[in-house]
Amino acid sequence: MRDRLRQPVDPTLPTLPATSGTAAAAPTERERWVEEAKAHLPEPGQYLAYEDGDTLTAVPVMREWTRIGRSLAADVRFDDPTVSRRHALIVRQADGVRVLDDRSLNGVFVNGERVEWSALRDGDEILVGRYHLHFLDTTAEPEPGSELLAGDAGAQVV
């Protein structure tokens, strides 16, 4: 059988090879899916990754607000009746990343639980209509011991 790969709407977005299975599979399969998606990211950062048919797309979350919906103004757009025009918002602030339900009809689910808003952690699954998105956070980890050095900056040596 021939694989049909569709290009993402925005050609500047990275396209990743599709994996076998679905994003809604058992947690161990989901963890493998997330790790494989991370391995194909172009650089460290925060992304929303999802499959649409045979295409796996990763959208960088770089601005304070990322809109998800059916509207032409959405940053992540799904032309599907199960997705509201203004379905969800991804909000980046100094204290973390959150998803907010933007008054959608079908709701927003994080890891299977319906939410009005929820803090996001690496690997969390966000359900928007029939689409399973995964929040991927591959920001550079601090080097071991760097917290200790930073915390000791004001310490006195006796």
Side-chain angles (χ1 to χ4, degrees):
M1 178 180 357
R2 290 178 24 193
D3 289 331
R4 293 181 309 130
L5 296 178
R6 292 182 12 211
Q7 295 298 318
V9 175
D10 183 348
T12 63
L13 299 176
T15 300
L16 309 174
T19 60
S20 60
T22 64
T28 57
E29 207 171 313
R30 184 173 100 186
E31 289 170 2
R32 278 182 275 173
W33 188 94
V34 166
E35 289 307 312
E36 186 172 335
K38 283 182 179 183
H40 291 91
L41 295 175
E43 60 187 40
Q46 296 171 325
Y47 296 85
L48 291 174
Y50 61 92
E51 282 184 311
D52 187 11
D54 291 333
T55 301
L56 180 60
T57 302
V59 179
V61 178
M62 300 172 67
R63 298 185 311 207
E64 184 177 359
W65 298 89
T66 301
R67 297 168 296 203
I68 302 171
R70 203 177 66 232
S71 166
L72 292 174
D75 301 301
V76 179
R77 185 173 183 273
F78 298 112
D79 188 16
D80 186 279
T82 64
V83 178
S84 297
R85 274 178 273 152
R86 295 174 44 173
H87 203 106
L89 294 168
I90 304 295
V91 182
R92 281 183 73 213
Q93 294 180 323
D95 62 342
V97 179
R98 294 177 185 79
V99 62
L100 307 172
D101 187 335
D102 196 10
R103 298 171 292 174
S104 68
L105 178 64
N106 292 325
V108 173
F109 295 78
V110 174
N111 298 326
E113 182 178 331
R114 188 171 185 157
V115 298
E116 290 294 318
W117 69 272
S118 178
L120 292 175
R121 294 184 322 259
D122 181 41
D124 279 350
E125 181 182 56
I126 306 161
L127 183 64
V128 172
R130 67 177 185 90
Y131 292 89
H132 296 262
L133 297 94
H134 289 84
F135 177 67
L136 306 178
D137 188 353
T138 61
T139 53
E141 301 272 331
E143 292 185 28
S146 63
E147 299 89 4
L148 178 63
L149 295 174
D152 288 343
Q156 293 181 341
V157 178
V158 185

